Amino acid sequence: QVQLVESGGGVVQPGTSLRLSCTASGFTFSSYGLHWVRQAPGKGPEWVAVMSHDGSNKYYADSVKARFTISRDNSKSTLYLQMNSLRPEDTAVYYCAKEERVYYYSYAMDVWGQGTTVTVSS
Amino acid sequence: QSALTQPASVSGSPRQSITISCTGTSSDVGAYNYVSWYQQHPGKAPKLMIYDVTNRPSGVSNRFSGSKSGNTASLTISGLQAEDEAIYYCSSYTGTSTVLFGGGTKLTVL
């Protein structure tokens, strides 16, 4: 079945870095854009970033621009999120999510992973 | 950008219908038909219920429907069931290649 599995979360100190991974299965990975969405404790989801199916374009929320980098390796069916200069406000469950539309963006996410928790605290 | 505006809570009895609103601006909800709705149960990932304002993904009950008028989108759930109790979030494309979510609406089935 279609599945996304995130990994790489943990407890880190402010100012440090972390790389999240999202491994996909059950669909043609290279045909779909992929998003990162985070959800702080007790809050609603916050969109973080998206990368196109072929990696040719990527976009970020203002809150993470210049600190986070989204990338993908289609040969490994894996999406990444490199997070630098982490702040306490980055504390959240991070989900990767698959675009609903093949090749293009509908900005709807039809498959979500189970999430990985990132805690930024001194 | 501020989150899209949703009521904090709505409630209804089984078999009744409820509607959840999602208000944005002429730059997001009002400008594009890229409004989605998600259902989230405690401790679970969000689940896509509606996309492109009115479309239901395969497997989602036809009791769920979406609409839009001006800068406000709406999710209607008819024939309420106990399993519908959850938090519902709307989202919209913003025109700057980004996505904005609403603050969420907690649905209580009485």
Side-chain angles (χ1 to χ4, degrees):
Chain A
Q1 74 278 24
V2 179
Q3 194 173 12
L4 297 169
V5 179
E6 302 93 338
S7 61
V11 180
V12 296
Q13 292 192 331
T16 61
S17 299
L18 203 59
R19 189 176 85 154
L20 306 183
S21 299
C22 170
T23 301
S25 59
F27 65 99
T28 306
F29 184 80
S30 59
S31 296
Y32 291 89
L34 290 160
H35 301 261
W36 285 102
V37 178
R38 67 185 182 184
Q39 190 167 25
K43 302 293 185 182
E46 179 189 11
W47 179 83
V48 172
V50 64
M51 174 164 268
S52 60
H53 67 97
D54 59 358
S56 62
N57 55 70
K58 49 192 172 183
Y59 304 100
Y60 300 92
D62 286 345
S63 58
V64 306
K65 203 174 292 184
R67 297 189 301 124
F68 290 11
T69 302
I70 188 172
S71 62
R72 64 191 294 163
D73 185 338
N74 284 349
S75 69
K76 296 182 178 179
S77 295
T78 302
L79 177 74
Y80 303 99
L81 185 68
Q82 177 67 42
M83 304 185 296
N84 298 333
S85 302
L86 282 162
R87 305 166 179 169
E89 55 264 36
D90 295 319
T91 294
V93 175
Y94 284 73
Y95 296 99
C96 65
K98 170 185 161 292
E99 247 292 328
E100 174 273 331
R101 193 146 302 162
V102 63
Y103 294 130
Y104 298 103
Y105 296 130
S106 67
Y107 306 95
M109 299 148 219
D110 66 345
V111 179
W112 295 60
Q114 85 289 350
T116 187
T117 300
V118 173
T119 303
V120 184
S121 174
S122 54
Chain B
Q1 270 173 312
S2 300
L4 304 174
T5 301
Q6 298 181 235
S9 63
V10 297
S11 62
S13 301
R15 296 178 296 282
Q16 284 187 335
S17 295
I18 62 96
T19 296
I20 299 172
S21 62
C22 170
T23 301
T25 70
S26 57
S27 297
D28 40 62
V29 173
Y32 305 96
N33 288 325
Y34 289 134
V35 175
S36 302
W37 289 91
Y38 300 87
Q39 176 192 66
Q40 187 174 33
H41 287 111
K44 301 293 188 182
K47 175 187 176 183
L48 181 65
M49 306 302 284
I50 296 287
Y51 67 96
D52 292 353
V53 179
T54 61
N55 294 339
R56 270 189 316 276
S58 173
V60 172
S61 170
N62 60 9
R63 297 186 298 105
F64 292 83
S65 62
S67 63
K68 190 183 83 168
S69 177
N71 298 337
T72 299
S74 298
L75 172 71
T76 297
I77 309 173
S78 59
L80 270 179
Q81 300 178 0
E83 69 214 46
D84 299 333
E85 186 163 294
I87 300 177
Y88 290 84
Y89 297 97
C90 61
S91 74
S92 175
Y93 175 62
T94 67
T96 56
S97 301
T98 60
V99 178
L100 200 55
F101 280 90
T105 298
K106 180 174 173 53
L107 169 62
T108 300
V109 180
L110 301 170

